[in-house]
Amino acid sequence: QARLQEIVSTKGWPTAALVGPKAENAAWLLAQHDSAPFLKRCLPDMKAAAERGELDGGLVALSIDRDLIHDGKKQIYGSQFSKNGKGEWVPDPIEDEAHVDERRATLGLEPMAQQTARINRIYASVAK
């Protein structure tokens, strides 16, 4: 993470054109799990890379949602989940929830009902 922070500070976002798609995806993963301020710093460059087709828009949606949740706001794409009192994973609050599946579809993401079911299956199998 420290090395990525240095790269972003001196050279900007490590685009697929510069480092290849695997390295850019690795950079995204590191930024996604770094500090909230660093993720926010990287978001404009991530969005630009996605607009150029160099970074998957679904990954950028995850980062946008995570940034919004960090800021205490509602997410846009419904990618961030928390465990409820029943032990089920449910989406964190979503802005304009009635249209979330439409927004997700523009990025090739599955509908919320499918994602929620999949996440609960994955975490149920991990907990065993």
Side-chain angles (χ1 to χ4, degrees), residues 27-46:
W28 171 82
L29 187 60
L30 287 169
Q32 179 75 353
H33 295 284
D34 204 315
S35 68
F38 184 66
L39 177 61
K40 186 178 290 299
R41 155 70 179 88
C42 292
L43 264 174
D45 292 336
M46 288 179 183

mmCIF file with all atom_site columns, all heavy atoms in Angstrom, residues 27-46:
data_model
loop_
_atom_site.group_PDB
_atom_site.id
_atom_site.type_symbol
_atom_site.label_atom_id
_atom_site.label_alt_id
_atom_site.label_comp_id
_atom_site.label_asym_id
_atom_site.label_entity_id
_atom_site.label_seq_id
_atom_site.pdbx_PDB_ins_code
_atom_site.Cartn_x
_atom_site.Cartn_y
_atom_site.Cartn_z
_atom_site.occupancy
_atom_site.B_iso_or_equiv
_atom_site.pdbx_formal_charge
_atom_site.auth_seq_id
_atom_site.auth_comp_id
_atom_site.auth_asym_id
_atom_site.auth_atom_id
_atom_site.pdbx_PDB_model_num
ATOM 1   N N   . ALA A 1 27 ? -3.640  -2.763 -8.239  1.00 0.00 ? 27 ALA A N   1
ATOM 2   C CA  . ALA A 1 27 ? -3.611  -1.421 -7.649  1.00 0.00 ? 27 ALA A CA  1
ATOM 3   C C   . ALA A 1 27 ? -4.994  -1.054 -7.131  1.00 0.00 ? 27 ALA A C   1
ATOM 4   O O   . ALA A 1 27 ? -5.129  -0.489 -6.031  1.00 0.00 ? 27 ALA A O   1
ATOM 5   C CB  . ALA A 1 27 ? -3.134  -0.397 -8.684  1.00 0.00 ? 27 ALA A CB  1
ATOM 6   N N   . TRP A 1 28 ? -6.037  -1.380 -7.902  1.00 0.00 ? 28 TRP A N   1
ATOM 7   C CA  . TRP A 1 28 ? -7.397  -1.103 -7.445  1.00 0.00 ? 28 TRP A CA  1
ATOM 8   C C   . TRP A 1 28 ? -7.670  -1.815 -6.118  1.00 0.00 ? 28 TRP A C   1
ATOM 9   O O   . TRP A 1 28 ? -8.194  -1.215 -5.191  1.00 0.00 ? 28 TRP A O   1
ATOM 10  C CB  . TRP A 1 28 ? -8.442  -1.536 -8.485  1.00 0.00 ? 28 TRP A CB  1
ATOM 11  C CG  . TRP A 1 28 ? -9.812  -1.452 -7.896  1.00 0.00 ? 28 TRP A CG  1
ATOM 12  C CD1 . TRP A 1 28 ? -10.586 -0.333 -7.793  1.00 0.00 ? 28 TRP A CD1 1
ATOM 13  C CD2 . TRP A 1 28 ? -10.526 -2.499 -7.243  1.00 0.00 ? 28 TRP A CD2 1
ATOM 14  N NE1 . TRP A 1 28 ? -11.745 -0.630 -7.116  1.00 0.00 ? 28 TRP A NE1 1
ATOM 15  C CE2 . TRP A 1 28 ? -11.734 -1.957 -6.770  1.00 0.00 ? 28 TRP A CE2 1
ATOM 16  C CE3 . TRP A 1 28 ? -10.264 -3.845 -7.005  1.00 0.00 ? 28 TRP A CE3 1
ATOM 17  C CZ2 . TRP A 1 28 ? -12.672 -2.710 -6.077  1.00 0.00 ? 28 TRP A CZ2 1
ATOM 18  C CZ3 . TRP A 1 28 ? -11.207 -4.605 -6.322  1.00 0.00 ? 28 TRP A CZ3 1
ATOM 19  C CH2 . TRP A 1 28 ? -12.395 -4.033 -5.873  1.00 0.00 ? 28 TRP A CH2 1
ATOM 20  N N   . LEU A 1 29 ? -7.303  -3.083 -6.037  1.00 0.00 ? 29 LEU A N   1
ATOM 21  C CA  . LEU A 1 29 ? -7.554  -3.858 -4.823  1.00 0.00 ? 29 LEU A CA  1
ATOM 22  C C   . LEU A 1 29 ? -6.837  -3.242 -3.621  1.00 0.00 ? 29 LEU A C   1
ATOM 23  O O   . LEU A 1 29 ? -7.413  -3.130 -2.533  1.00 0.00 ? 29 LEU A O   1
ATOM 24  C CB  . LEU A 1 29 ? -7.117  -5.309 -5.026  1.00 0.00 ? 29 LEU A CB  1
ATOM 25  C CG  . LEU A 1 29 ? -7.463  -6.285 -3.913  1.00 0.00 ? 29 LEU A CG  1
ATOM 26  C CD1 . LEU A 1 29 ? -8.957  -6.371 -3.698  1.00 0.00 ? 29 LEU A CD1 1
ATOM 27  C CD2 . LEU A 1 29 ? -6.892  -7.658 -4.249  1.00 0.00 ? 29 LEU A CD2 1
ATOM 28  N N   . LEU A 1 30 ? -5.612  -2.824 -3.817  1.00 0.00 ? 30 LEU A N   1
ATOM 29  C CA  . LEU A 1 30 ? -4.875  -2.172 -2.727  1.00 0.00 ? 30 LEU A CA  1
ATOM 30  C C   . LEU A 1 30 ? -5.541  -0.857 -2.321  1.00 0.00 ? 30 LEU A C   1
ATOM 31  O O   . LEU A 1 30 ? -5.707  -0.583 -1.129  1.00 0.00 ? 30 LEU A O   1
ATOM 32  C CB  . LEU A 1 30 ? -3.425  -1.922 -3.133  1.00 0.00 ? 30 LEU A CB  1
ATOM 33  C CG  . LEU A 1 30 ? -2.535  -3.158 -3.194  1.00 0.00 ? 30 LEU A CG  1
ATOM 34  C CD1 . LEU A 1 30 ? -1.205  -2.815 -3.858  1.00 0.00 ? 30 LEU A CD1 1
ATOM 35  C CD2 . LEU A 1 30 ? -2.313  -3.734 -1.809  1.00 0.00 ? 30 LEU A CD2 1
ATOM 36  N N   . ALA A 1 31 ? -5.919  -0.052 -3.290  1.00 0.00 ? 31 ALA A N   1
ATOM 37  C CA  . ALA A 1 31 ? -6.568  1.228  -2.980  1.00 0.00 ? 31 ALA A CA  1
ATOM 38  C C   . ALA A 1 31 ? -7.907  1.005  -2.287  1.00 0.00 ? 31 ALA A C   1
ATOM 39  O O   . ALA A 1 31 ? -8.261  1.721  -1.345  1.00 0.00 ? 31 ALA A O   1
ATOM 40  C CB  . ALA A 1 31 ? -6.753  2.050  -4.257  1.00 0.00 ? 31 ALA A CB  1
ATOM 41  N N   . GLN A 1 32 ? -8.650  -0.001 -2.727  1.00 0.00 ? 32 GLN A N   1
ATOM 42  C CA  . GLN A 1 32 ? -9.966  -0.312 -2.160  1.00 0.00 ? 32 GLN A CA  1
ATOM 43  C C   . GLN A 1 32 ? -9.859  -0.634 -0.665  1.00 0.00 ? 32 GLN A C   1
ATOM 44  O O   . GLN A 1 32 ? -10.767 -0.352 0.096   1.00 0.00 ? 32 GLN A O   1
ATOM 45  C CB  . GLN A 1 32 ? -10.591 -1.490 -2.927  1.00 0.00 ? 32 GLN A CB  1
ATOM 46  C CG  . GLN A 1 32 ? -11.934 -1.947 -2.438  1.00 0.00 ? 32 GLN A CG  1
ATOM 47  C CD  . GLN A 1 32 ? -13.080 -1.036 -2.820  1.00 0.00 ? 32 GLN A CD  1
ATOM 48  O OE1 . GLN A 1 32 ? -12.893 0.040  -3.370  1.00 0.00 ? 32 GLN A OE1 1
ATOM 49  N NE2 . GLN A 1 32 ? -14.286 -1.462 -2.518  1.00 0.00 ? 32 GLN A NE2 1
ATOM 50  N N   . HIS A 1 33 ? -8.749  -1.225 -0.263  1.00 0.00 ? 33 HIS A N   1
ATOM 51  C CA  . HIS A 1 33 ? -8.589  -1.651 1.125   1.00 0.00 ? 33 HIS A CA  1
ATOM 52  C C   . HIS A 1 33 ? -7.598  -0.785 1.900   1.00 0.00 ? 33 HIS A C   1
ATOM 53  O O   . HIS A 1 33 ? -7.212  -1.129 3.006   1.00 0.00 ? 33 HIS A O   1
ATOM 54  C CB  . HIS A 1 33 ? -8.194  -3.131 1.173   1.00 0.00 ? 33 HIS A CB  1
ATOM 55  C CG  . HIS A 1 33 ? -9.292  -4.001 0.649   1.00 0.00 ? 33 HIS A CG  1
ATOM 56  N ND1 . HIS A 1 33 ? -10.412 -4.283 1.384   1.00 0.00 ? 33 HIS A ND1 1
ATOM 57  C CD2 . HIS A 1 33 ? -9.450  -4.593 -0.549  1.00 0.00 ? 33 HIS A CD2 1
ATOM 58  C CE1 . HIS A 1 33 ? -11.226 -5.040 0.652   1.00 0.00 ? 33 HIS A CE1 1
ATOM 59  N NE2 . HIS A 1 33 ? -10.668 -5.235 -0.522  1.00 0.00 ? 33 HIS A NE2 1
ATOM 60  N N   . ASP A 1 34 ? -7.208  0.331  1.322   1.00 0.00 ? 34 ASP A N   1
ATOM 61  C CA  . ASP A 1 34 ? -6.339  1.287  2.012   1.00 0.00 ? 34 ASP A CA  1
ATOM 62  C C   . ASP A 1 34 ? -7.221  2.227  2.839   1.00 0.00 ? 34 ASP A C   1
ATOM 63  O O   . ASP A 1 34 ? -8.402  1.964  3.043   1.00 0.00 ? 34 ASP A O   1
ATOM 64  C CB  . ASP A 1 34 ? -5.510  2.064  0.977   1.00 0.00 ? 34 ASP A CB  1
ATOM 65  C CG  . ASP A 1 34 ? -4.216  2.630  1.548   1.00 0.00 ? 34 ASP A CG  1
ATOM 66  O OD1 . ASP A 1 34 ? -4.253  3.191  2.656   1.00 0.00 ? 34 ASP A OD1 1
ATOM 67  O OD2 . ASP A 1 34 ? -3.176  2.525  0.870   1.00 0.00 ? 34 ASP A OD2 1
ATOM 68  N N   . SER A 1 35 ? -6.681  3.317  3.276   1.00 0.00 ? 35 SER A N   1
ATOM 69  C CA  . SER A 1 35 ? -7.431  4.272  4.094   1.00 0.00 ? 35 SER A CA  1
ATOM 70  C C   . SER A 1 35 ? -8.518  4.959  3.272   1.00 0.00 ? 35 SER A C   1
ATOM 71  O O   . SER A 1 35 ? -8.418  5.072  2.039   1.00 0.00 ? 35 SER A O   1
ATOM 72  C CB  . SER A 1 35 ? -6.480  5.325  4.658   1.00 0.00 ? 35 SER A CB  1
ATOM 73  O OG  . SER A 1 35 ? -5.995  6.145  3.603   1.00 0.00 ? 35 SER A OG  1
ATOM 74  N N   . ALA A 1 36 ? -9.533  5.461  3.970   1.00 0.00 ? 36 ALA A N   1
ATOM 75  C CA  . ALA A 1 36 ? -10.618 6.183  3.304   1.00 0.00 ? 36 ALA A CA  1
ATOM 76  C C   . ALA A 1 36 ? -10.093 7.406  2.535   1.00 0.00 ? 36 ALA A C   1
ATOM 77  O O   . ALA A 1 36 ? -10.507 7.624  1.388   1.00 0.00 ? 36 ALA A O   1
ATOM 78  C CB  . ALA A 1 36 ? -11.684 6.575  4.318   1.00 0.00 ? 36 ALA A CB  1
ATOM 79  N N   . PRO A 1 37 ? -9.174  8.194  3.109   1.00 0.00 ? 37 PRO A N   1
ATOM 80  C CA  . PRO A 1 37 ? -8.669  9.346  2.352   1.00 0.00 ? 37 PRO A CA  1
ATOM 81  C C   . PRO A 1 37 ? -7.912  8.951  1.077   1.00 0.00 ? 37 PRO A C   1
ATOM 82  O O   . PRO A 1 37 ? -8.016  9.629  0.053   1.00 0.00 ? 37 PRO A O   1
ATOM 83  C CB  . PRO A 1 37 ? -7.735  10.056 3.346   1.00 0.00 ? 37 PRO A CB  1
ATOM 84  C CG  . PRO A 1 37 ? -8.218  9.638  4.690   1.00 0.00 ? 37 PRO A CG  1
ATOM 85  C CD  . PRO A 1 37 ? -8.707  8.227  4.503   1.00 0.00 ? 37 PRO A CD  1
ATOM 86  N N   . PHE A 1 38 ? -7.165  7.855  1.132   1.00 0.00 ? 38 PHE A N   1
ATOM 87  C CA  . PHE A 1 38 ? -6.429  7.440  -0.060  1.00 0.00 ? 38 PHE A CA  1
ATOM 88  C C   . PHE A 1 38 ? -7.392  6.946  -1.139  1.00 0.00 ? 38 PHE A C   1
ATOM 89  O O   . PHE A 1 38 ? -7.222  7.269  -2.323  1.00 0.00 ? 38 PHE A O   1
ATOM 90  C CB  . PHE A 1 38 ? -5.392  6.371  0.265   1.00 0.00 ? 38 PHE A CB  1
ATOM 91  C CG  . PHE A 1 38 ? -4.559  5.984  -0.922  1.00 0.00 ? 38 PHE A CG  1
ATOM 92  C CD1 . PHE A 1 38 ? -3.691  6.894  -1.495  1.00 0.00 ? 38 PHE A CD1 1
ATOM 93  C CD2 . PHE A 1 38 ? -4.654  4.718  -1.476  1.00 0.00 ? 38 PHE A CD2 1
ATOM 94  C CE1 . PHE A 1 38 ? -2.920  6.552  -2.618  1.00 0.00 ? 38 PHE A CE1 1
ATOM 95  C CE2 . PHE A 1 38 ? -3.892  4.365  -2.583  1.00 0.00 ? 38 PHE A CE2 1
ATOM 96  C CZ  . PHE A 1 38 ? -3.029  5.285  -3.156  1.00 0.00 ? 38 PHE A CZ  1
ATOM 97  N N   . LEU A 1 39 ? -8.414  6.203  -0.748  1.00 0.00 ? 39 LEU A N   1
ATOM 98  C CA  . LEU A 1 39 ? -9.410  5.757  -1.720  1.00 0.00 ? 39 LEU A CA  1
ATOM 99  C C   . LEU A 1 39 ? -10.057 6.969  -2.384  1.00 0.00 ? 39 LEU A C   1
ATOM 100 O O   . LEU A 1 39 ? -10.189 7.007  -3.615  1.00 0.00 ? 39 LEU A O   1
ATOM 101 C CB  . LEU A 1 39 ? -10.465 4.873  -1.052  1.00 0.00 ? 39 LEU A CB  1
ATOM 102 C CG  . LEU A 1 39 ? -11.596 4.396  -1.960  1.00 0.00 ? 39 LEU A CG  1
ATOM 103 C CD1 . LEU A 1 39 ? -11.057 3.547  -3.103  1.00 0.00 ? 39 LEU A CD1 1
ATOM 104 C CD2 . LEU A 1 39 ? -12.629 3.618  -1.152  1.00 0.00 ? 39 LEU A CD2 1
ATOM 105 N N   . LYS A 1 40 ? -10.437 7.953  -1.588  1.00 0.00 ? 40 LYS A N   1
ATOM 106 C CA  . LYS A 1 40 ? -11.052 9.164  -2.134  1.00 0.00 ? 40 LYS A CA  1
ATOM 107 C C   . LYS A 1 40 ? -10.095 9.856  -3.108  1.00 0.00 ? 40 LYS A C   1
ATOM 108 O O   . LYS A 1 40 ? -10.513 10.344 -4.154  1.00 0.00 ? 40 LYS A O   1
ATOM 109 C CB  . LYS A 1 40 ? -11.442 10.111 -0.996  1.00 0.00 ? 40 LYS A CB  1
ATOM 110 C CG  . LYS A 1 40 ? -12.219 11.335 -1.465  1.00 0.00 ? 40 LYS A CG  1
ATOM 111 C CD  . LYS A 1 40 ? -12.639 12.221 -0.326  1.00 0.00 ? 40 LYS A CD  1
ATOM 112 C CE  . LYS A 1 40 ? -13.708 11.640 0.546   1.00 0.00 ? 40 LYS A CE  1
ATOM 113 N NZ  . LYS A 1 40 ? -14.990 11.326 -0.070  1.00 0.00 ? 40 LYS A NZ  1
ATOM 114 N N   . ARG A 1 41 ? -8.814  9.887  -2.782  1.00 0.00 ? 41 ARG A N   1
ATOM 115 C CA  . ARG A 1 41 ? -7.798  10.508 -3.647  1.00 0.00 ? 41 ARG A CA  1
ATOM 116 C C   . ARG A 1 41 ? -7.718  9.795  -4.997  1.00 0.00 ? 41 ARG A C   1
ATOM 117 O O   . ARG A 1 41 ? -7.527  10.416 -6.037  1.00 0.00 ? 41 ARG A O   1
ATOM 118 C CB  . ARG A 1 41 ? -6.448  10.485 -2.910  1.00 0.00 ? 41 ARG A CB  1
ATOM 119 C CG  . ARG A 1 41 ? -5.185  10.504 -3.746  1.00 0.00 ? 41 ARG A CG  1
ATOM 120 C CD  . ARG A 1 41 ? -4.951  11.826 -4.437  1.00 0.00 ? 41 ARG A CD  1
ATOM 121 N NE  . ARG A 1 41 ? -3.747  11.842 -5.215  1.00 0.00 ? 41 ARG A NE  1
ATOM 122 C CZ  . ARG A 1 41 ? -3.661  11.456 -6.497  1.00 0.00 ? 41 ARG A CZ  1
ATOM 123 N NH1 . ARG A 1 41 ? -4.696  10.995 -7.132  1.00 0.00 ? 41 ARG A NH1 1
ATOM 124 N NH2 . ARG A 1 41 ? -2.520  11.549 -7.153  1.00 0.00 ? 41 ARG A NH2 1
ATOM 125 N N   . CYS A 1 42 ? -7.887  8.470  -4.987  1.00 0.00 ? 42 CYS A N   1
ATOM 126 C CA  . CYS A 1 42 ? -7.743  7.675  -6.203  1.00 0.00 ? 42 CYS A CA  1
ATOM 127 C C   . CYS A 1 42 ? -9.001  7.651  -7.077  1.00 0.00 ? 42 CYS A C   1
ATOM 128 O O   . CYS A 1 42 ? -8.915  7.358  -8.271  1.00 0.00 ? 42 CYS A O   1
ATOM 129 C CB  . CYS A 1 42 ? -7.367  6.237  -5.846  1.00 0.00 ? 42 CYS A CB  1
ATOM 130 S SG  . CYS A 1 42 ? -5.714  6.074  -5.152  1.00 0.00 ? 42 CYS A SG  1
ATOM 131 N N   . LEU A 1 43 ? -10.151 7.943  -6.502  1.00 0.00 ? 43 LEU A N   1
ATOM 132 C CA  . LEU A 1 43 ? -11.413 7.793  -7.235  1.00 0.00 ? 43 LEU A CA  1
ATOM 133 C C   . LEU A 1 43 ? -11.476 8.543  -8.570  1.00 0.00 ? 43 LEU A C   1
ATOM 134 O O   . LEU A 1 43 ? -11.898 7.957  -9.566  1.00 0.00 ? 43 LEU A O   1
ATOM 135 C CB  . LEU A 1 43 ? -12.596 8.188  -6.355  1.00 0.00 ? 43 LEU A CB  1
ATOM 136 C CG  . LEU A 1 43 ? -13.282 7.040  -5.648  1.00 0.00 ? 43 LEU A CG  1
ATOM 137 C CD1 . LEU A 1 43 ? -14.348 7.547  -4.700  1.00 0.00 ? 43 LEU A CD1 1
ATOM 138 C CD2 . LEU A 1 43 ? -13.858 6.043  -6.614  1.00 0.00 ? 43 LEU A CD2 1
ATOM 139 N N   . PRO A 1 44 ? -11.081 9.802  -8.644  1.00 0.00 ? 44 PRO A N   1
ATOM 140 C CA  . PRO A 1 44 ? -11.167 10.473 -9.947  1.00 0.00 ? 44 PRO A CA  1
ATOM 141 C C   . PRO A 1 44 ? -10.341 9.767  -11.030 1.00 0.00 ? 44 PRO A C   1
ATOM 142 O O   . PRO A 1 44 ? -10.793 9.633  -12.180 1.00 0.00 ? 44 PRO A O   1
ATOM 143 C CB  . PRO A 1 44 ? -10.626 11.872 -9.674  1.00 0.00 ? 44 PRO A CB  1
ATOM 144 C CG  . PRO A 1 44 ? -10.857 12.079 -8.214  1.00 0.00 ? 44 PRO A CG  1
ATOM 145 C CD  . PRO A 1 44 ? -10.660 10.723 -7.590  1.00 0.00 ? 44 PRO A CD  1
ATOM 146 N N   . ASP A 1 45 ? -9.158  9.298  -10.668 1.00 0.00 ? 45 ASP A N   1
ATOM 147 C CA  . ASP A 1 45 ? -8.319  8.589  -11.643 1.00 0.00 ? 45 ASP A CA  1
ATOM 148 C C   . ASP A 1 45 ? -8.919  7.233  -12.008 1.00 0.00 ? 45 ASP A C   1
ATOM 149 O O   . ASP A 1 45 ? -8.828  6.801  -13.158 1.00 0.00 ? 45 ASP A O   1
ATOM 150 C CB  . ASP A 1 45 ? -6.902  8.412  -11.106 1.00 0.00 ? 45 ASP A CB  1
ATOM 151 C CG  . ASP A 1 45 ? -6.146  9.728  -10.999 1.00 0.00 ? 45 ASP A CG  1
ATOM 152 O OD1 . ASP A 1 45 ? -6.495  10.678 -11.732 1.00 0.00 ? 45 ASP A OD1 1
ATOM 153 O OD2 . ASP A 1 45 ? -5.221  9.800  -10.185 1.00 0.00 ? 45 ASP A OD2 1
ATOM 154 N N   . MET A 1 46 ? -9.513  6.555  -11.025 1.00 0.00 ? 46 MET A N   1
ATOM 155 C CA  . MET A 1 46 ? -10.183 5.274  -11.307 1.00 0.00 ? 46 MET A CA  1
ATOM 156 C C   . MET A 1 46 ? -11.346 5.480  -12.275 1.00 0.00 ? 46 MET A C   1
ATOM 157 O O   . MET A 1 46 ? -11.516 4.711  -13.225 1.00 0.00 ? 46 MET A O   1
ATOM 158 C CB  . MET A 1 46 ? -10.725 4.650  -10.015 1.00 0.00 ? 46 MET A CB  1
ATOM 159 C CG  . MET A 1 46 ? -9.694  4.100  -9.086  1.00 0.00 ? 46 MET A CG  1
ATOM 160 S SD  . MET A 1 46 ? -10.596 3.458  -7.637  1.00 0.00 ? 46 MET A SD  1
ATOM 161 C CE  . MET A 1 46 ? -9.244  2.953  -6.615  1.00 0.00 ? 46 MET A CE  1
#
